[in-house]
Amino acid sequence: MSRIFVIAVAALMAWAPLSEASAQDRGRGRGPDREQSRERERERPSISAGEALSIARSRARGARFVGTMASGGGTYVFRFESPEGRIFDITVDARTGRAGGG
């Protein structure tokens, strides 16, 4: 009888952590991970690089597109050359589409 009792207790002890782990995998009880997921969702670009380039070109007013610069975070950076030869950058926020620089 005590052998069966020990086996039953051991089985219950093994089952409890597994059920908790599977509950976490379904997204329950993982508050900090959900917050990180929401932050990643907010950082995700809502406009494509092509759309951002179109916004930057409209802001550059006839300047020649030179290239794309490495950008950090959620911005696109485009380099232009004015007809006078001045080089300037226009940044476009990947989430909002707002352009800056020039």
Side-chain angles (χ1 to χ4, degrees), residues 7-66:
I7 292 173
V9 168
L12 284 174
M13 288 174 59
W15 177 74
L18 290 176
S19 64
E20 184 178 331
S22 66
Q24 286 181 350
D25 287 342
R26 288 189 302 264
R28 291 186 216 148
R30 294 185 10 159
D33 289 341
R34 254 189 253 153
E35 286 299 318
Q36 289 175 354
S37 174
R38 286 184 191 137
E39 280 185 34
R40 275 184 254 130
E41 191 69 31
R42 276 179 262 164
E43 292 172 2
R44 182 175 301 158
S46 59
I47 64 171
S48 69
E51 291 170 319
L53 178 57
S54 177
I55 292 167
R57 280 191 170 160
S58 69
R59 178 86 185 253
R61 297 188 202 119
R64 183 176 70 88
F65 174 67
V66 176

Side-chain angles (χ1 to χ4, degrees), residues 85-101:
R86 185 176 69 95
I87 302 291
F88 60 95
D89 295 336
I90 294 181
T91 61
V92 178
D93 187 288
R95 259 185 336 114
T96 64
R98 288 186 183 164

